[in-house]
Every structure is written in C-alpha cells, then in structure tokens.
Amino acid sequence: MDIVLITTVIASLFLVIGVAEPLAAKLRLPYSVILAGLGVLIGAAATFFLRTELTDALNPVAEAILGLPIRSNVFLYVFLPTLLFQATLGMNLRRMLDDWVPILVLAVVAVVVAMLSVGYALAWASALPLATCLLIGAIVSTTDPSAVVSIFRSISAPRRLARIIEGESLLNDAAAIALFGLFMSFVMLGVPDPSLGDALGRFPLLIAGGALTGWVAARVAVWVMALFSRHELAQISISVALPYLAYIGAEQSIGASGVIAVVSAGLTLNLTGPGRLPPVAWSNLREVWDLLAHWAGALIFILAALLIPRLLEEVRTEDFVLVGVVILAAIAARAVILFGLLPLLTLLRASPAVERPYRIAILWGGLRGAITLALALAVTESFRVPVETKRVVGILATGFTLFTLVFQGTTLRNVIAWLGLDRLSPIDQALSRQVIAVALQTVREDVARTTENYELTREIVRSEAKRFGERLDAAVKSAEDRAEILDRDRITLGLIALAGHERDTIITRVRERTISARMAEQVLSDADRLIEGARSGGRSGYMRAARRSVAYGRVFRAVVMLHSRLGISVRLARMTADRFELLLSKRLILRDLGTFIDGRIRRIHGKRVADLLHELLSRRVEAVETSLEGLRLQYPGYAEKLERRFIRRTALRLEEREYMAMREDGLIGLEVYTSLMNGLAARRAAAEHRPRLDIAPQRAELVRRFPLFADLDDARVKRLGRALVTRYVNMGDVIIRKDSAAKSVFFIASGAVELQSAGQTWRLGRGEMFGQMAILMQKPRRAEVRAIAPSTLLVLDEERFRRLLKRSEALRQAVRASAEKRGIDPDALQSGAPRVA
C-alpha cells in the first residue's frame, strides 16, 4: 500500500481525534462514545464506497482505510501498555492505598463474578463449550470508567468514590486480560470443559510472575534514570521503553501476565520516581505520558470501531438472543457487586459508604470499549480457534460493546439527572458562594496593586472600584447568609477552605523547592485527606485526618520492631529521616495558615468560626511539635541539619529569582545568565542531598535528660541507655490494659499519657514514668494507660528496673511520690505488702 496514502489516513485519524473532544462536549456525550461512533461511521462508509458502483474515485481511500494493518497484536503490544502505564502514573497511590481493600476486592471479585455469570449463562442458553463461554465472560468483564468518572468529577461527587472506581477499573482490566489469556489457551488446545479449579489455580502464578517482572524492570529503570539526572529527555525516553520491555519480558520470558507487569512497573515508578527524579523532570514525564495515553486511547477506540462492521458481517437471528443473555448476565453480575458486596464491605468498615444513587450511576456507567473489542479481535485472528467460535466471540463481544456505548453511554447523563446527582447539595452551594467571595477579595487586592502601578485616572479607578465593590459586598453577604446554613456547616466550610489553602501553600512550596519532591506527594495526600475528612465528617473528620498525618504508621512500627529484634536498620533510617523531614515541612506550612484564617475566614464566616479554626490549628501545631520533639530527643542535631538544608534551598530559590529578574530587565545577557544558572543548578543538586541519619539513638544523652536518672554516673547511664527499648505510640493507643501481667516500666521521652484506675484519672507527661506500681506490688495491673498524644516511650524490663531502683535514690523518691499521688502507702509498697487506699 502507498506510504503516502497510509500517512494521509493516519493524519486524518488524528484530525478526527481533535474534532471528537469538542464535539463530545457540545453534545454532552462521553468522549469514548463519540470516538466509537465516528469509527463505526468511517468503517461503514469505507465499506459502502468500496462495494458500491456509484463512484470509484474514493476506492483507493476506502481500501487504505479497510486495509490498515489493524491486528490484535497492535492493540495488545502497542496501545494497551501505554494506556495501563499512564493510568498508574496518574494515580495518587498514597490515597489509593487508603482504600486498597475495596479496590482489590472489587476488582478481583468483580472480574471473577462477571466471568462466571456470563460464562455459565451462555453455557445454559447455547451449545457452546464451557471454555468458550468463560472466555467470552473474561472478554466482556473489562470496564471503561472514564465516562462515569468524568461525570462524577463534574458534579462534585466524593473524590474517594472516583478513586475507588479508577483503581478498581485498572486492576479489573489487568485481571480480566490475565484470565482471557488463561481461557484462550484452553480454547486453542481444544479443551471444551476445563476444570475451574485448575484454571483459577494458574491465576496466582500469572499475577505473581507479572508483578515481580514489572517491579524489577521499574527498579532498574529508576536506577538508570537517576544516573541521568541532568538529562531530562533521556529520562523520559527510558520511561517510554519501560512498559513495553516489562510487557514483553513477562509474556515471552516467563509466561506471566504482561498486563500485570505493566501495572506493577507503573506503580513502582509512581512510588519511587518523585523521590529520585528532579521535580521538573517528573512533571514533564507525566505530561508526556498524558499525551501518549490520550492518543493511544483515542486511536484504539477508532481503530477498533473500524472493525465493527467486519465483525458483524455474519450475524444471525439467534445471535441477538445470546447478546441479550450476555447483557443481562453482565449487568446482574455488576449489580451483585455494587448492591451486595459493596454494602458488606461498608458494614465491615473496609470500604466507604456509597449511596444508592451513586451505585446506580456506576452500574449504568459500566461501559465497554476498545479493550473488549481488541480481545475479541485476538480470538477472531487466531488460526487455532475453530471458525464458529471466532464468529460467536466476535459477534457477542461487539454486540455487547455496542449496547453499552449506544444505550448506556448516550443515556448516562439523563440517568445522573434522574437520580438528582447533578444538583449541588446545600453545603456545596454555600461552598461555591464562599469561593466566589474569597476569589473576589483576592481580585480586589490585585486590581488595587495594578491601578497603583499604572497610575490610572482617579475617576476611572474610583468608578470601577465602586462597581466592583458592590459586587464584592453582594458576594460576601451571600456567603455570610446565616439563614441558609447552620453553624456546624459554617465550620465545615471554613475547614474545607483552610485545607484547600493548605494544599495551595504546599504546591507553592514544592514549586519553589523549599519542600522536597520526596515529601511532596505525602504532604499533598495529607492535605487531600483533610479536605475529604472535613467534607464527610466536619470538625471530627478534619481532626481525624490531622491526627493520622502525624501518626506512626503500621509499616513504621513494623520496621522499628525489625530493627530492635533483628538489627535491620537501613529501612528504619530512611523512614525516620522521612518522618523528620515531613514534620518539619508540616510545621513550616501550618505556621502560614493563621494569616489566612484572620484574613479570609474571619471576613466571611465571622470571629467565632475563625477563633475555632485557630484552636484546631493550634492543636495540629502542638501535635507536630510533640512528634518532632520525640525525634529531636533521640537524634539530637539532625533536625538542625534539615533546617540548614531548608535555608540553603530557600536562598537558592531567591537567588534564582534574582537572576531571572535581571535577565528579563536586560541587565545580563544570555551567556552570563546561562553560566549563572548552571552554577546554581550544581549548588542546588548538592542542597537536594539529604544528610544521612545515624539510626543509633543517642540514648545516653536522652537518659541524662530525665530527672529520674540525675544521680547515675556515666557508666550506669550508658548501660541503662543500652537496656532501654524505644516504643512509638499514637494518640488513642492503649499502652497498658487493665488486669494484664506486669513485665515492664515505661518512661515518657515525649508526648503524654492518661492513666485510669478505680474511677480516677491522672495525666503524665515528659520525664515521668508509669507501670512501676504493679511490678512492685507483684499484682496484675489495676490501671489502663492510653496515649493522649503521639508519644515516644522508653521501656525497661522488670529485672533491670529493680536493679536500677536499688542504685538510684532519685528513682526511689519518684516512686514514693507516685505512690502517694495514687493513694498508696510508700512504706507498705517497698516492704512488699502494700496497702491500697
């Protein structure tokens, strides 16, 4: 075929892609529906002009369109890795991990349920072999959530819901394609009724092999990309090669799932890339992948749609019945997941509650598209698949896809409107008014500066200012309308605005490189949790998210346990340094929020709401300072190193700004500017390097800060430091339970705890101890101790505590004072026959 003609056709397809998006927006239809419709029209028109005798002038073009080398391997090896890889790069994985249970369960279970439902329904309604029926079930179980997700975003649906749908769809596609490969092998081998247990037994091997291959490939790629830190185009080029090499390596080398390998590689790069690559390079890399995925997604839809007329050429009357069976079985399977499994996960607190209208919208928005058609095409092209099987698979997959696109896709917005999801809730309406008021206040300040700079005529400025002021006063009055919004909701709106400003501040700091790229994803994820927590739970939801942002995670505490028991310190050193940097970044950000409360929040919501927000902000600052204090005590000097690094990075940013201003003003030429920026880049690379943390806690120094050990000599202090074990607890954690065996004594290095016994409550803080009474009384513990702040504790076992008590007068006096405070006779306590008051 003429290369000029092929190039013309492909260029024309890109023209169609450019036209499809604005056309979809104008018609208010999903983008994928427009692409599929245009593809079908092009394919049908090419077939018509080629077979009709009306004109022969368009025959070469029609032949070029129908003769395009569209094969299933083009979809599976060229387009599919691009789509899956970009989807993983575009995810906020830290937020996805918050909901990994519903995402994983919904993805895997949804695929298996849909495959079994469609497979056994077809086996019952037709004479097809079970293997073929299950293969069709695997093909049609892939979903395209783009339509429903885009609509959810446009109607301000909960972000968490959209994330679950996106994550579930990504893993759904990966699992479905892996199962497709499994049952495709049965069909090609002529196994009519495979054992379901044997089939599913091979499934974990496909998943594990693909995941391992993708992880290894991504780690190697990140290592190579880090070596080319000053060559951005080289880094992007390596990222383009990564998904294809992972896909081919898994499929051809070890017989695992290439799709799972691509997903694993993308997730690994998403987690490790921001910390290893420069922020600008990472941002540009993601922009390149967004463009590649946009083209790949559009082309796969158009090219697959071109094949629809060909796939439907041999349709028979009885095929319509089977298409109906597939439609009913697939919708029923989806309904079981959404209205059976999802509420069950909500009851088990493993998934957020999803309201019924949203579940109906998700059910009707489960469109199928290009991946379904590509898998069906792979079956029709295989010479090892029986001819009748090819025909049935092609027709059923194509018919089901057309149903979802034509009927569900075109009516999805109407269903959304019928469910009332396109109407703003009262709190969202109030939030929109607040946003307008805040925006107009900012505009007024900017306009005032602009008029001063340009020395405009006073009469013009005065008249325009009066006109704008009237609009601003109306907006502020509307935002302050207390008749329409409860005080509780006003607090919620203030918290949402505060969390939104916090997120904007973080983005600004990241752009200025005063917050490192390593920390950017985590602090942004924490800010998103604050916004969602405030929207869903008001003040309590906001504070839960705030406490979580400074809490010791399960992984961190597991790493601490590995270090204390096995001496593995590399991972703990990295995570501790990350925590240091995270807390310092949060402290920097939180100190900037008070001005926003006094300026914007107070003007819109009044003094009472502003004062309450100040109180909540002060609690967050206190929690951050408490957590930071615990680390400072254990690793003195490291926080100062990070602060010096912050100052150096800030100075470099200001220096860069000055050079740019001089260049724009014409004070320096291009050569001088380039030389200055090259030198600045070298200094910035050195400043980006985070100082190494010596994980060995300076416990001797820490012990000396306890008044309890003031009379110990240096040798005993060092021995005590080696004997103490560090334990981290979060706010609300139970440290000691009532009636538990007494085995250890706890010393508070930072934070605070609350002790409850016999209806009385005591609070203990830094430098105090607890747990000693039950040991000395030789009785089960009578008190329950709970942390009331993120705390760092030093734990000493019973034998060492008794030896220490004999040698330290200060410790004995502290024990006596504690006993008297709790109503216990100190003399009876030490004699071993205590008398409890």
Side-chain angles (χ1 to χ4, degrees):
M1 188 180 298
D2 187 4
I3 186 64
V4 175
L5 198 55
I6 293 179
T7 304
T8 303
V9 171
I10 294 176
S12 301
L13 291 181
F14 275 94
L15 184 62
V16 171
I17 293 172
V19 172
E21 188 171 7
L23 182 61
K26 185 175 182 61
L27 298 178
R28 294 179 61 81
L29 290 174
Y31 180 52
S32 56
V33 172
I34 295 296
L35 286 174
L38 291 175
V40 171
L41 288 177
I42 293 172
T47 303
F48 172 78
F49 283 118
L50 190 63
R51 296 181 179 180
T52 185
E53 296 181 357
L54 294 177
T55 178
D56 294 332
L58 297 178
N59 284 358
V61 178
E63 290 176 352
I65 293 174
L66 297 177
L68 285 174
I70 307 172
R71 298 292 181 267
S72 61
N73 53 8
V74 174
F75 294 108
L76 298 179
Y77 281 89
V78 178
F79 294 131
L80 190 58
T82 302
L83 293 175
L84 295 175
F85 193 74
Q86 185 275 335
T88 58
L89 290 183
M91 289 181 173
N92 187 335
L93 288 183
R94 295 187 184 277
R95 302 310 319 278
M96 290 286 184
L97 291 175
D98 293 344
D99 299 306
W100 70 272
V101 173
I103 289 174
L104 191 61
V105 172
L106 285 174
V108 177
V109 175
V111 167
V112 174
V113 170
M115 181 191 69
L116 295 178
S117 175
V118 173
Y120 280 98
L122 279 176
W124 171 78
S126 69
L128 293 172
L130 179 61
T132 301
C133 296
L134 293 174
L135 175 65
I136 296 172
I139 291 174
V140 302
S141 61
T142 60
T143 59
D144 176 18
S146 58
V148 68
V149 169
S150 63
I151 293 177
F152 275 6
R153 287 174 176 170
S154 67
I155 63 175
S156 300
R159 292 185 186 178
R160 191 178 186 188
L161 179 59
R163 279 198 309 272
I164 290 176
I165 296 172
E166 287 180 302
E168 181 250 345
S169 175
L170 175 65
L171 298 182
N172 176 301
D173 288 347
I177 295 170
L179 284 173
F180 164 80
L182 183 64
F183 285 101
M184 184 68 173
S185 64
F186 288 131
V187 172
M188 290 190 299
L189 292 174
V191 181
D193 297 309
S195 169
L196 190 59
D198 293 341
L200 296 181
R202 294 175 54 189
F203 189 60
L205 180 62
L206 293 174
I207 301 295
L212 180 61
T213 303
W215 179 81
V216 171
R219 296 294 295 184
V220 173
V222 169
W223 177 73
V224 175
M225 292 163 71
L227 294 179
F228 303 152
S229 59
R230 302 186 65 178
H231 303 279
E232 183 179 314
L233 295 180
Q235 294 172 334
I236 295 175
S237 300
I238 293 170
S239 76
V240 172
L242 173 59
Y244 297 101
L245 294 178
Y247 188 94
I248 295 171
E251 290 276 349
Q252 304 298 326
S253 299
I254 63 175
S257 171
V259 173
I260 299 296
V262 172
V263 172
S264 175
L267 295 176
T268 304
L269 181 60
N270 193 341
L271 286 173
T272 58
R276 301 293 300 277
L277 304 181
V280 176
W282 178 251
S283 176
N284 291 338
L285 183 149
R286 292 196 35 187
E287 289 180 1
V288 168
W289 272 104
D290 288 343
L291 181 60
L292 291 176
H294 175 72
W295 286 342
L299 284 174
I300 195 174
F301 250 110
I302 293 178
L303 294 176
L306 287 174
L307 303 173
I308 289 178
R310 185 193 311 173
L311 292 173
L312 296 179
E313 284 180 346
E314 301 180 12
V315 65
R316 302 170 185 170
T317 305
E318 59 268 22
D319 294 331
F320 290 100
V321 177
L322 296 183
V323 170
V325 171
V326 172
I327 292 171
L328 293 176
I331 293 178
R334 192 69 172 164
V336 167
I337 297 298
L338 291 171
F339 295 94
L341 182 59
L342 197 57
L344 178 61
L345 292 177
T346 301
L347 289 176
L348 298 175
R349 297 185 178 181
S351 170
V354 180
E355 298 177 4
R356 180 178 293 271
Y358 286 112
R359 280 181 275 161
I360 296 174
I362 295 171
L363 175 65
W364 196 247
L367 309 184
R368 269 62 168 181
I371 294 180
T372 301
L373 294 176
L375 296 180
L377 182 63
V379 177
T380 62
E381 289 180 352
S382 176
F383 65 91
R384 299 174 64 181
V385 176
V387 176
E388 181 61 16
T389 300
K390 292 181 184 181
R391 188 192 71 81
V392 173
V393 170
I395 290 174
L396 295 187
T398 304
F400 180 63
T401 301
L402 286 176
F403 171 81
T404 63
L405 292 175
V406 173
F407 290 96
Q408 293 179 231
T410 57
T411 59
L412 181 56
R413 281 194 177 273
N414 294 331
V415 172
I416 294 279
W418 173 69
L419 294 171
L421 296 178
D422 58 343
R423 294 188 292 272
L424 290 177
S425 65
I427 193 168
D428 283 330
Q429 293 176 2
L431 180 60
S432 66
R433 291 194 296 268
Q434 179 190 18
V435 167
I436 293 173
V438 172
L440 291 181
Q441 287 177 338
T442 303
V443 170
R444 181 178 64 178
E445 296 167 1
D446 292 341
V447 168
R449 285 193 295 269
T450 301
T451 54
E452 291 176 3
N453 293 337
Y454 289 95
E455 299 180 357
L456 300 178
T457 306
R458 290 186 177 181
E459 289 74 15
I460 296 176
V461 172
R462 188 180 299 110
S463 62
E464 290 299 319
K466 180 180 179 182
R467 180 180 177 184
F468 185 83
E470 292 173 353
R471 183 185 174 197
L472 175 60
D473 292 340
V476 173
K477 185 177 184 301
S478 177
E480 290 179 340
D481 188 359
R482 295 179 180 270
E484 296 183 14
I485 184 169
L486 300 175
D487 286 348
R488 180 184 67 252
D489 293 333
R490 298 183 66 82
I491 295 171
T492 298
L493 289 173
L495 290 173
I496 294 173
L498 183 62
H501 179 71
E502 181 174 343
R503 195 181 194 282
D504 294 340
T505 303
I506 293 168
I507 294 174
T508 301
R509 295 286 187 179
V510 172
R511 288 173 179 168
E512 294 177 350
R513 298 191 181 183
T514 52
I515 293 179
S516 68
R518 181 193 296 270
M519 291 293 103
E521 292 291 333
Q522 187 164 349
V523 290
L524 283 173
S525 296
D526 290 341
D528 288 337
R529 290 191 188 97
L530 291 171
I531 295 173
E532 294 179 19
R535 289 186 68 92
S536 61
R539 181 180 2 182
S540 59
Y542 177 88
M543 290 309 296
R544 276 197 303 271
R547 287 193 295 270
R548 180 176 177 180
S549 69
V550 297
Y552 298 102
R554 295 179 181 176
V555 176
F556 183 86
R557 290 197 276 191
V559 169
V560 171
M561 184 180 300
L562 286 176
H563 172 67
S564 58
R565 295 187 178 181
L566 302 177
I568 301 175
S569 61
V570 176
R571 179 66 173 165
L572 179 59
R574 186 184 305 119
M575 294 190 69
T576 304
D578 285 346
R579 183 169 176 79
F580 251 121
E581 189 172 358
L582 175 67
L583 293 173
L584 287 171
S585 300
K586 286 186 177 297
R587 188 182 66 174
L588 170 71
I589 295 163
L590 292 177
R591 293 188 181 280
D592 292 337
L593 300 183
T595 305
F596 179 78
I597 295 175
D598 290 331
R600 305 284 172 80
I601 302 297
R602 187 182 297 271
R603 276 183 282 179
I604 293 177
H605 293 295
K607 181 177 182 300
R608 196 181 70 82
V609 173
D611 291 343
L612 178 60
L613 264 58
H614 268 300
E615 180 185 348
L616 298 179
L617 182 61
S618 65
R619 291 186 196 173
R620 292 187 60 196
V621 172
E622 182 181 356
V624 170
E625 293 289 359
T626 301
S627 300
L628 193 55
E629 179 189 21
L631 292 176
R632 286 180 186 272
L633 289 172
Q634 292 187 85
Y635 310 102
Y638 189 73
E640 285 74 11
K641 292 180 181 178
L642 292 180
E643 289 171 349
R644 290 179 183 276
R645 174 174 173 249
F646 165 75
I647 293 173
R648 287 195 294 268
R649 294 168 64 177
T650 302
L652 289 171
R653 171 59 181 165
L654 296 175
E655 184 179 354
E656 179 184 41
R657 188 182 301 170
E658 288 298 316
Y659 293 156
M660 293 175 65
M662 291 179 183
R663 171 62 180 153
E664 292 173 358
D665 294 341
L667 299 178
I668 57 176
L670 178 60
E671 293 183 357
V672 175
Y673 175 76
T674 303
S675 176
L676 292 173
M677 294 303 290
N678 287 338
L680 184 68
R683 292 192 298 276
R684 174 167 283 153
E688 287 290 335
H689 179 70
R690 189 171 65 186
R692 180 178 177 274
L693 172 64
D694 183 5
I695 199 59
Q698 307 296 321
R699 287 205 183 96
E701 180 65 27
L702 184 58
V703 168
R704 289 190 182 95
R705 299 190 183 189
F706 276 80
L708 299 175
F709 311 128
D711 58 348
L712 296 180
D713 56 33
D714 289 344
R716 288 177 178 171
V717 166
K718 291 180 180 179
R719 286 198 298 270
L720 179 58
R722 289 192 294 268
L724 290 167
V725 176
T726 305
R727 180 177 172 185
Y728 302 99
V729 292
N730 292 320
M731 179 178 178
D733 286 356
V734 176
I735 306 166
I736 294 177
R737 297 188 182 277
K738 190 176 181 180
D739 298 325
S740 61
K743 297 180 180 179
S744 305
V745 177
F746 300 83
F747 301 90
I748 305 174
S750 67
V753 302
E754 188 174 75
L755 186 148
Q756 294 180 341
S757 177
Q760 293 182 298
T761 301
W762 296 271
R763 290 193 172 186
L764 307 176
R766 176 183 168 187
E768 296 185 276
M769 64 178 169
F770 60 92
Q772 73 280 5
M773 292 300 171
I775 287 179
L776 296 176
M777 296 168 65
Q778 297 182 349
K779 289 186 176 183
R781 300 190 187 277
R782 300 286 183 88
E784 180 176 275
V785 182
R786 184 185 301 270
I788 56 176
S791 304
T792 303
L793 308 176
L794 301 180
V795 187
L796 192 64
D797 62 72
E798 177 182 356
E799 181 181 353
R800 289 189 175 92
F801 174 73
R802 288 186 179 276
R803 290 204 303 264
L804 180 63
L805 190 62
K806 295 178 180 178
R807 297 188 178 101
S808 173
E809 177 61 27
L811 186 59
R812 288 195 294 271
Q813 292 298 329
V815 169
R816 292 177 62 88
S818 177
E820 291 174 351
K821 184 177 180 180
R822 295 179 55 186
I824 300 174
D825 184 0
D827 296 327
L829 177 67
Q830 292 190 3
S831 66
R835 175 172 54 83
V836 181

